[in-house]
Protein backbone atom coordinates (compact mmCIF):
# COMPACT_ATOMS: atom_id res chain seq x y z
CA UNK A 1 0.00 0.00 0.00
CA UNK A 2 1.02 3.64 -0.49
CA UNK A 3 0.70 6.56 1.88
CA UNK A 4 -1.46 8.47 -0.60
CA UNK A 5 -4.01 5.60 -0.57
CA UNK A 6 -4.26 5.87 3.20
CA UNK A 7 -4.67 9.64 2.91
CA UNK A 8 -7.50 9.23 0.38
CA UNK A 9 -9.24 6.67 2.60
CA UNK A 10 -9.04 8.94 5.65
CA UNK A 11 -10.38 11.87 3.64
CA UNK A 12 -13.46 9.86 2.64
CA UNK A 13 -14.07 8.76 6.24
CA UNK A 14 -13.87 12.38 7.42
CA UNK A 15 -16.02 13.93 4.68
CA UNK A 16 -18.25 10.86 4.11
CA UNK A 17 -18.11 11.78 0.45
CA UNK A 18 -15.90 10.60 -2.41
CA UNK A 19 -16.49 13.89 -4.20
CA UNK A 20 -15.53 16.13 -1.28
CA UNK A 21 -12.60 13.86 -0.42
CA UNK A 22 -11.27 14.20 -3.97
CA UNK A 23 -11.55 17.99 -3.71
CA UNK A 24 -9.68 17.99 -0.39
CA UNK A 25 -6.90 15.81 -1.79
CA UNK A 26 -6.75 17.84 -5.03
CA UNK A 27 -7.27 14.82 -7.29
CA UNK A 28 -10.04 13.71 -9.61
CA UNK A 29 -12.80 11.57 -8.14
CA UNK A 30 -12.04 8.61 -10.49
CA UNK A 31 -8.38 8.71 -9.39
CA UNK A 32 -9.36 8.70 -5.72
CA UNK A 33 -11.87 5.91 -6.22
CA UNK A 34 -9.33 3.80 -8.12
CA UNK A 35 -6.71 4.27 -5.39
CA UNK A 36 -9.11 3.18 -2.63
CA UNK A 37 -10.25 0.21 -4.73
CA UNK A 38 -6.64 -0.87 -5.15
CA UNK A 39 -6.13 -0.55 -1.39
CA UNK A 40 -9.19 -2.74 -0.77
CA UNK A 41 -7.83 -5.34 -3.18
CA UNK A 42 -4.51 -5.42 -1.32
CA UNK A 43 -6.30 -5.84 2.02
CA UNK A 44 -8.71 -8.45 0.67
CA UNK A 45 -11.96 -6.73 1.58
CA UNK A 46 -14.11 -3.63 1.15
CA UNK A 47 -13.37 -0.66 3.40
CA UNK A 48 -16.18 1.69 2.39
CA UNK A 49 -19.78 1.39 1.28
CA UNK A 50 -21.54 4.00 -0.88
CA UNK A 51 -24.96 4.72 0.64
CA UNK A 52 -27.53 7.43 0.12
CA UNK A 53 -26.47 9.16 3.34
CA UNK A 54 -22.82 9.12 2.34
CA UNK A 55 -19.84 6.79 2.49
CA UNK A 56 -19.91 4.36 5.39
CA UNK A 57 -17.20 2.20 6.88
CA UNK A 58 -17.41 -1.58 6.64
CA UNK A 59 -16.40 -3.78 9.55
CA UNK A 60 -12.90 -4.07 8.04
CA UNK A 61 -12.81 -0.32 7.53
CA UNK A 62 -13.71 0.31 11.16
CA UNK A 63 -11.00 -2.11 12.26
CA UNK A 64 -8.16 -0.55 10.23
CA UNK A 65 -9.24 3.09 10.65
CA UNK A 66 -7.35 3.82 13.94
CA UNK A 67 -4.20 2.16 12.60
CA UNK A 68 -4.36 4.08 9.35
CA UNK A 69 -4.88 7.27 11.36
CA UNK A 70 -1.75 6.56 13.43
CA UNK A 71 0.20 5.76 10.28
CA UNK A 72 -0.91 9.04 8.73
CA UNK A 73 -0.05 11.01 11.90
CA UNK A 74 3.42 9.43 12.07
CA UNK A 75 4.01 10.22 8.42
CA UNK A 76 3.06 13.83 9.03
CA UNK A 77 5.41 13.96 12.02
CA UNK A 78 8.27 12.61 9.90
CA UNK A 79 7.57 15.25 7.27
CA UNK A 80 7.67 17.97 9.94
CA UNK A 81 11.02 16.67 11.20
CA UNK A 82 12.40 16.57 7.68
CA UNK A 83 11.14 20.08 6.99
CA UNK A 84 12.68 21.38 10.23
CA UNK A 85 15.93 19.67 9.32
CA UNK A 86 15.93 21.38 5.95
CA UNK A 87 15.05 24.76 7.45
CA UNK A 88 17.46 24.35 10.41
CA UNK A 89 14.60 24.59 12.89
CA UNK A 90 14.69 22.60 16.13
CA UNK A 91 17.69 20.67 14.79
CA UNK A 92 20.22 19.33 17.31
CA UNK A 93 23.93 19.96 16.66
CA UNK A 94 26.46 18.27 18.94
CA UNK A 95 29.92 19.80 19.18
CA UNK A 96 32.84 18.21 21.02
CA UNK A 97 35.52 20.58 22.32
CA UNK A 98 38.99 19.71 23.58
CA UNK A 99 39.07 20.44 27.30
CA UNK A 100 42.04 22.81 27.00
CA UNK A 101 40.38 25.00 24.34
CA UNK A 102 39.20 28.08 26.17
CA UNK A 103 35.70 29.46 25.56
CA UNK A 104 36.74 33.12 25.24
CA UNK A 105 37.31 33.14 21.48
CA UNK A 106 35.13 30.18 20.57
CA UNK A 107 32.09 31.71 22.30
CA UNK A 108 32.12 34.63 19.85
CA UNK A 109 32.03 32.21 16.93
CA UNK A 110 29.16 30.29 18.54
CA UNK A 111 27.28 33.56 18.92
CA UNK A 112 27.80 34.26 15.21
CA UNK A 113 26.47 30.81 14.36
CA UNK A 114 23.44 31.44 16.57
CA UNK A 115 22.73 34.52 14.50
CA UNK A 116 22.88 32.48 11.30
CA UNK A 117 20.81 29.56 12.60
CA UNK A 118 18.72 30.53 15.65
CA UNK A 119 16.67 27.34 15.35
CA UNK A 120 19.61 24.97 15.80
CA UNK A 121 19.86 23.50 19.29
CA UNK A 122 23.58 23.50 20.07
CA UNK A 123 25.02 21.04 22.58
CA UNK A 124 28.69 21.43 23.58
CA UNK A 125 30.56 18.66 25.38
CA UNK A 126 34.13 19.00 26.67
CA UNK A 127 36.62 16.14 26.97
CA UNK A 128 40.18 14.98 26.36
CA UNK A 129 41.41 14.41 22.80
CA UNK A 130 41.01 10.63 22.73
CA UNK A 131 37.47 10.88 24.07
CA UNK A 132 36.19 13.53 21.64
CA UNK A 133 37.70 11.58 18.72
CA UNK A 134 35.90 8.45 19.95
CA UNK A 135 32.62 10.36 20.16
CA UNK A 136 33.14 11.70 16.65
CA UNK A 137 33.89 8.25 15.22
CA UNK A 138 30.83 6.75 16.92
CA UNK A 139 28.61 9.67 15.79
CA UNK A 140 27.96 10.82 19.35
CA UNK A 141 29.04 14.30 18.23
CA UNK A 142 28.80 15.88 14.78
CA UNK A 143 31.97 17.98 14.77
CA UNK A 144 34.83 18.69 17.15
CA UNK A 145 37.12 21.62 17.90
CA UNK A 146 40.60 20.49 18.88
CA UNK A 147 44.36 20.97 18.71
CA UNK A 148 45.63 20.08 15.25
CA UNK A 149 49.01 19.18 16.73
CA UNK A 150 47.61 15.95 18.16
CA UNK A 151 47.32 12.89 15.96
CA UNK A 152 44.17 13.07 13.81
CA UNK A 153 42.98 9.84 12.12
CA UNK A 154 42.88 9.52 8.33
CA UNK A 155 39.06 9.32 8.30
CA UNK A 156 38.82 12.91 9.56
CA UNK A 157 38.27 16.08 7.52
CA UNK A 158 40.21 18.99 9.02
CA UNK A 159 40.10 22.77 8.61
CA UNK A 160 42.40 24.99 10.73
CA UNK A 161 40.63 27.82 12.56
CA UNK A 162 43.29 29.90 14.29
CA UNK A 163 46.78 29.81 15.78
CA UNK A 164 47.07 30.31 19.51
CA UNK A 165 50.22 31.17 21.41
CA UNK A 166 51.03 30.08 24.94
CA UNK A 167 51.38 32.75 27.61
CA UNK A 168 52.67 32.88 31.16
CA UNK A 169 49.93 33.67 33.67
CA UNK A 170 51.42 35.29 36.78
CA UNK A 171 50.04 35.70 40.30
CA UNK A 172 49.12 39.26 41.33
CA UNK A 173 52.18 41.28 42.35
CA UNK A 174 54.66 38.77 40.91
CA UNK A 175 58.18 40.12 40.41
CA UNK A 176 58.01 39.41 36.66
CA UNK A 177 54.90 41.52 36.08
CA UNK A 178 57.05 44.50 35.08
CA UNK A 179 58.33 42.68 31.98
CA UNK A 180 56.50 42.88 28.66
CA UNK A 181 57.52 39.35 27.61
CA UNK A 182 59.24 36.40 29.24
CA UNK A 183 61.90 33.87 28.39
CA UNK A 184 61.77 30.34 29.71
CA UNK A 185 64.96 30.97 31.67
CA UNK A 186 63.22 33.81 33.54
CA UNK A 187 60.95 31.25 35.19
CA UNK A 188 63.58 28.87 36.56
CA UNK A 189 62.98 28.01 40.19
CA UNK A 190 59.58 29.71 40.26
CA UNK A 191 56.66 27.71 41.69
CA UNK A 192 54.25 26.82 38.94
CA UNK A 193 50.96 25.04 38.50
CA UNK A 194 51.14 21.86 36.44
CA UNK A 195 48.16 21.57 34.04
CA UNK A 196 47.73 17.80 33.80
CA UNK A 197 45.08 18.02 31.06
CA UNK A 198 47.32 20.04 28.74
CA UNK A 199 48.02 18.10 25.54
CA UNK A 200 51.27 20.09 25.10
CA UNK A 201 52.51 19.38 28.62
CA UNK A 202 55.19 16.94 27.50
CA UNK A 203 56.48 19.40 24.91
CA UNK A 204 56.82 22.14 27.52
CA UNK A 205 58.51 19.74 29.95
CA UNK A 206 60.96 18.57 27.29
CA UNK A 207 61.78 22.15 26.35
CA UNK A 208 62.51 22.98 29.99
CA UNK A 209 64.77 19.94 30.30
CA UNK A 210 66.62 20.80 27.08
CA UNK A 211 67.31 24.31 28.39
CA UNK A 212 68.18 23.13 31.89
CA UNK A 213 65.31 25.13 33.38
CA UNK A 214 64.08 23.67 36.67
CA UNK A 215 60.44 24.27 37.56
CA UNK A 216 58.92 23.48 40.92
CA UNK A 217 55.38 22.10 40.56
CA UNK A 218 53.62 23.63 43.54
CA UNK A 219 50.28 22.07 42.53
CA UNK A 220 49.00 19.70 39.85
CA UNK A 221 45.42 19.55 38.59
CA UNK A 222 43.49 18.61 35.46
CA UNK A 223 40.91 21.35 36.08
CA UNK A 224 41.52 24.47 33.99
CA UNK A 225 39.29 26.63 36.21
CA UNK A 226 41.23 25.51 39.29
CA UNK A 227 44.53 26.41 37.63
CA UNK A 228 43.46 30.00 37.09
CA UNK A 229 41.99 30.32 40.57
CA UNK A 230 45.17 28.98 42.15
CA UNK A 231 47.30 31.39 40.11
CA UNK A 232 45.10 34.25 41.26
CA UNK A 233 45.51 33.03 44.86
CA UNK A 234 49.29 33.44 44.47
CA UNK A 235 50.29 29.79 44.52
CA UNK A 236 52.37 29.91 41.34
CA UNK A 237 52.37 30.71 37.63
CA UNK A 238 50.99 28.63 34.77
CA UNK A 239 51.62 28.14 31.06
CA UNK A 240 48.26 28.54 29.31
CA UNK A 241 46.83 29.04 25.82
CA UNK A 242 46.07 32.74 25.49
CA UNK A 243 42.33 32.28 24.77
CA UNK A 244 41.91 30.07 27.84
CA UNK A 245 42.65 32.88 30.29
CA UNK A 246 39.29 34.03 31.65
CA UNK A 247 40.19 36.06 34.74
CA UNK A 248 40.26 39.71 33.70
CA UNK A 249 42.59 40.56 36.58
CA UNK A 250 45.13 37.89 35.62
CA UNK A 251 48.57 39.12 34.54
CA UNK A 252 49.67 37.33 31.40
CA UNK A 253 52.87 37.79 29.44
CA UNK A 254 53.81 36.21 26.11
CA UNK A 255 56.45 33.49 26.19
CA UNK A 256 58.86 34.65 23.51
CA UNK A 257 61.90 32.44 24.01
CA UNK A 258 61.06 29.87 22.90
CA UNK A 259 57.65 30.81 21.46
CA UNK A 260 55.14 27.98 21.81
CA UNK A 261 51.87 27.88 19.92
CA UNK A 262 49.24 25.47 18.66
CA UNK A 263 46.67 25.40 15.87
CA UNK A 264 43.00 24.98 16.74
CA UNK A 265 40.97 23.24 14.05
CA UNK A 266 37.52 22.00 13.11
CA UNK A 267 37.32 18.26 12.59
CA UNK A 268 34.48 16.09 11.27
CA UNK A 269 34.17 12.57 9.94
CA UNK A 270 34.88 12.11 6.25
CA UNK A 271 32.75 8.96 6.30
CA UNK A 272 29.52 10.92 6.78
CA UNK A 273 27.98 13.60 4.58
CA UNK A 274 27.65 16.76 6.69
CA UNK A 275 24.09 17.76 7.52
CA UNK A 276 22.91 21.29 6.64
CA UNK A 277 23.46 22.30 10.28
CA UNK A 278 26.99 20.88 10.36
CA UNK A 279 27.87 22.52 7.04
CA UNK A 280 26.58 25.91 8.16
CA UNK A 281 28.45 25.59 11.48
CA UNK A 282 31.61 24.67 9.58
CA UNK A 283 31.28 27.55 7.13
CA UNK A 284 30.39 30.11 9.81
CA UNK A 285 33.37 29.31 12.02
CA UNK A 286 35.76 29.27 9.06
CA UNK A 287 34.42 32.64 7.89
CA UNK A 288 35.26 34.08 11.31
CA UNK A 289 38.71 32.54 11.31
CA UNK A 290 41.51 35.07 11.59
CA UNK A 291 44.10 32.84 9.89
CA UNK A 292 46.02 34.91 7.29
CA UNK A 293 45.78 34.05 3.63
CA UNK A 294 48.92 32.55 2.04
CA UNK A 295 51.24 35.13 0.51
CA UNK A 296 51.74 35.19 -3.24
CA UNK A 297 54.20 32.52 -4.20
CA UNK A 298 54.02 30.89 -0.80
CA UNK A 299 52.88 27.40 0.11
CA UNK A 300 49.14 26.92 0.01
CA UNK A 301 47.15 24.47 2.11
CA UNK A 302 46.17 21.24 0.33
CA UNK A 303 42.79 21.15 -1.34
CA UNK A 304 40.25 19.00 0.40
CA UNK A 305 36.89 17.44 -0.46
CA UNK A 306 33.74 19.55 -0.90
CA UNK A 307 32.49 21.00 2.36
CA UNK A 308 35.76 22.57 3.42
CA UNK A 309 38.83 21.07 4.97
CA UNK A 310 41.43 18.54 4.02
CA UNK A 311 41.33 14.87 4.82
CA UNK A 312 43.87 14.06 7.51
CA UNK A 313 46.71 11.66 6.94
CA UNK A 314 47.60 8.94 9.38
CA UNK A 315 50.51 9.64 11.66
Amino acid sequence: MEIYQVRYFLAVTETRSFTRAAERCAVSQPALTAAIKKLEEELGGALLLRERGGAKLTALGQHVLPRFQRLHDETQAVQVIADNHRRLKQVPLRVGVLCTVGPARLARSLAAFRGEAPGVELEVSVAMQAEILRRLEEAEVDVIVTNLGDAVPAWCVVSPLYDERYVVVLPPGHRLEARDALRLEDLGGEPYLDRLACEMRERVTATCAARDVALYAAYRTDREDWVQSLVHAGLGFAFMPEHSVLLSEASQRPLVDPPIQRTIALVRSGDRTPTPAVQLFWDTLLARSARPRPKAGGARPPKGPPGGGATASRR
Side-chain angles (χ1 to χ4, degrees):
M1 68 183 70
E2 301 289 342
I3 294 298
Y4 76 89
Q5 294 173 309
V6 174
R7 182 162 57 89
Y8 292 174
F9 167 73
L10 292 175
V12 175
T13 62
E14 292 172 5
T15 62
R16 299 191 64 191
S17 166
F18 280 76
T19 301
R20 289 196 295 272
E23 293 173 352
R24 174 183 291 188
C25 296
V27 297
S28 67
Q29 183 174 332
L32 180 138
T33 302
I36 293 179
K37 182 178 180 181
K38 183 179 179 181
L39 178 62
E40 291 175 328
E41 291 173 354
E42 292 174 352
L43 295 178
L47 299 175
L48 295 160
L49 298 175
R50 289 176 181 261
E51 295 188 349
R52 182 172 300 178
K56 182 179 179 181
L57 286 168
T58 65
L60 177 60
Q62 292 175 350
H63 192 65
V64 300
L65 175 60
R67 290 168 174 80
F68 276 162
Q69 187 64 61
R70 287 196 295 270
L71 177 61
H72 178 265
D73 292 344
E74 287 297 320
T75 302
Q76 292 292 101
V78 170
Q79 290 176 340
V80 169
I81 292 173
D83 185 61
N84 287 343
H85 181 79
R86 187 169 55 253
R87 297 172 180 267
L88 298 181
K89 181 180 179 182
Q90 294 181 325
V91 175
L93 177 62
R94 303 159 301 172
V95 180
V97 179
L98 180 66
C99 59
T100 63
V101 174
R105 177 165 179 163
L106 187 58
R108 295 193 294 270
S109 296
L110 297 183
F113 174 70
R114 176 71 175 178
E116 294 287 339
V120 173
E121 299 170 355
L122 190 64
E123 176 185 332
V124 177
S125 59
V126 178
M128 300 282 283
Q129 176 82 344
E131 174 61 15
I132 59 175
L133 280 173
R134 182 198 66 78
R135 294 177 186 177
L136 182 64
E137 184 175 18
E138 297 182 7
E140 295 178 10
V141 295
D142 304 298
V143 62
I144 64 175
V145 180
T146 189
N147 178 11
L148 189 54
D150 280 2
V152 178
W155 49 266
C156 291
V157 176
V158 178
S159 279
L161 280 175
Y162 58 87
D163 293 327
E164 182 178 32
R165 64 181 180 175
Y166 269 59
V167 298
V168 180
V169 186
L170 299 169
H174 195 278
R175 65 179 184 85
L176 296 175
E177 272 189 330
R179 302 194 183 185
D180 294 331
L182 296 173
R183 300 175 302 115
L184 193 59
E185 284 76 8
D186 297 331
L187 301 166
E190 294 288 334
Y192 89 109
L193 304 176
D194 193 357
R195 296 170 53 243
L196 298 179
C198 180
E199 74 280 4
M200 297 182 69
R201 180 170 174 264
E202 293 184 4
R203 176 181 169 185
V204 173
T205 302
T207 302
C208 289
R211 294 197 170 208
D212 197 25
V213 175
L215 297 180
Y216 169 63
Y219 285 88
R220 294 184 173 91
T221 178
D222 60 358
R223 289 279 299 272
E224 297 288 277
D225 53 346
W226 273 80
V227 168
Q228 296 189 56
S229 295
L230 293 174
V231 170
H232 185 63
L235 298 179
F237 77 91
F239 296 112
M240 297 197 70
E242 60 181 316
H243 298 302
S244 294
V245 182
L246 298 179
L247 294 176
S248 59
E249 62 270 24
S251 297
Q252 55 177 299
R253 300 293 183 270
L255 182 65
V256 295
D257 185 18
I260 297 177
Q261 71 174 26
R262 64 180 182 176
T263 299
I264 302 302
L266 281 173
V267 180
R268 62 177 174 81
S269 173
D271 297 333
R272 296 188 293 273
T273 301
T275 65
V278 170
Q279 190 62 64
L280 182 58
F281 181 82
W282 191 276
D283 294 341
T284 301
L285 265 65
L286 288 182
R288 291 184 58 83
S289 172
R291 289 181 60 85
R293 295 180 180 274
K295 296 181 180 180
R300 295 182 181 273
K303 292 183 178 180
T311 303
S313 58
R314 291 192 182 276
R315 298 175 181 161

